[in-house]
Amino acid sequence: MKRYDAADPLEGLAILVTRPQGQASSLVEALRAEGAHPIEMPAIAIEPPASFEALDGAIRRGGYDWLIFTSANGVESFFRRLRVLSRGPEWLRGVRVAVIGPATARSLAAHGVTADLVPEEYVAEALVACLADTVALAGQRVLLPRADIARDALVKGLLEAGAIVDAVEAYRTIPAPAAPQLVRQLRGGQVDVVTFTSPSTVRALLLMLGADADAVADATIACIGPITAAAAREAGFHVSVVATTYTVQGLVAALRTYFGERLADVLVTQAHSQPSASQAERTGPA
């Protein structure tokens, strides 16, 4: 840590942001507002799928009961293909839309569509449970535009509930190339915190670091939620911070709490190590 400040526990900290370019700004701005120094180092890039055939075919068929988005990237890719195929808002008539969290809901709202369902906990398992509490899923037709490496938990849960699911690739996540400068920064103690906002950023950072993955050992690892934290631990990282609200704001709040508690521990230790006034008098010069 660079310094201790009771009012601003994150001030002066160098915090690595591994989100893809174009999606890191919200976290970067939030960290800067706390006085931290964000280091933007995208671990992944978002690219179109090898083929839009599956997504385009699903859009042409239509007739879905539910459209589910688990990321802003899925939202953007879907609406881009709607435009390419000359499909307008009428495609969504009679279709209910579920999203995994508020950030995805905001991306949806930017296209003039309000989410019908957002779970209280922003993970696939909670989304399935929320859907099942809302409607009998047996026989419901569901379209799920998602990443090429998306978790299977959502699809598995929907199928087990009897839904008919078209899970189609809407975009790809591509690992960033090796970053020797990041290794130097980590080994030089120039990075205090490494943040992860998805399991894919964890895996991609491992690839970026290669044989130098141990360079992260001295940095505090912070994750946006338990799924990402589990991926980080599986990768061999020691996770110190896990947000309880799985958003950028929740991650920053978790960092504030963690470093605020560290500050309190340091201040208590310092207070106990300093002699009291009476002790100073007894041990002072004669």
Side-chain angles (χ1 to χ4, degrees):
M1 291 179 61
K2 301 296 184 185
R3 61 191 291 273
Y4 290 102
D5 189 308
D8 302 295
L10 301 186
E11 187 165 345
L13 290 178
I15 301 181
L16 186 71
V17 176
T18 57
R19 299 192 96 182
Q21 189 173 18
Q23 297 178 17
S25 59
S26 59
L27 180 54
V28 168
E29 291 167 7
L31 291 171
R32 282 184 180 145
E34 297 286 340
H37 299 307
I39 302 170
E40 293 189 65
M41 185 67 66
I44 58 175
I46 305 301
E47 293 190 358
S51 170
F52 281 110
E53 183 178 353
L55 178 55
D56 289 356
I59 291 173
R60 290 190 178 102
R61 285 191 301 275
Y64 291 97
D65 300 294
W66 285 93
L67 174 62
I68 300 178
F69 294 111
T70 56
S71 71
N73 294 313
V75 172
E76 296 310 315
S77 180
F78 174 81
F79 280 93
R80 192 177 301 117
R81 297 313 295 176
L82 272 188
R83 291 192 295 271
V84 168
L85 298 173
S86 300
R87 299 302 203 272
E90 67 277 0
W91 191 94
L92 288 161
R93 192 171 296 126
V95 181
R96 285 185 282 185
V97 185
V99 299
I100 201 163
T104 309
R106 287 192 293 272
S107 295
L108 185 66
H111 292 276
V113 180
T114 301
D116 295 291
L117 185 148
V118 185
E120 292 185 3
E121 188 178 6
Y122 313 139
V123 293
E125 292 81 355
L127 181 52
V128 172
C130 193
L131 280 162
D133 287 342
T134 302
V135 65
L137 286 172
Q140 293 279 293
R141 294 192 63 220
V142 177
L143 176 59
L144 173 58
R146 62 177 191 166
D148 59 326
I149 57 171
R151 294 173 65 226
D152 290 329
L154 180 54
V155 173
K156 182 180 177 182
L158 291 169
L159 290 174
E160 288 177 348
I164 302 165
V165 184
D166 285 340
V168 297
E169 184 179 323
Y171 63 95
R172 293 182 297 159
T173 55
I174 308 299
Q181 71 275 24
L182 176 58
V183 173
R184 289 193 294 270
Q185 287 174 300
L186 288 165
R187 296 226 183 266
Q190 299 171 40
V191 178
D192 299 298
V193 182
V194 175
T195 62
F196 292 119
T197 54
S198 67
S200 59
T201 57
V202 174
R203 293 188 289 267
L205 187 69
L206 272 182
L207 289 174
M208 287 176 68
L209 296 176
D212 292 295
D214 64 312
V216 180
D218 292 334
T220 297
I221 304 296
C223 297
I224 202 167
I227 302 299
T228 302
R233 293 188 181 104
E234 185 178 343
F237 295 125
H238 175 74
V239 178
S240 298
V241 181
V242 182
T244 54
T245 300
Y246 316 146
T247 62
V248 163
Q249 295 76 15
L251 179 57
V252 174
L255 284 166
R256 280 186 58 88
T257 298
Y258 175 78
F259 284 101
E261 290 174 351
R262 286 190 64 182
L263 167 63
D265 291 341
V266 167
L267 294 178
V268 167
T269 300
Q270 289 177 345
H272 288 166
S273 65
Q274 292 175 353
S276 64
S278 59
Q279 288 174 324
E281 289 175 1
R282 291 196 298 271
T283 59

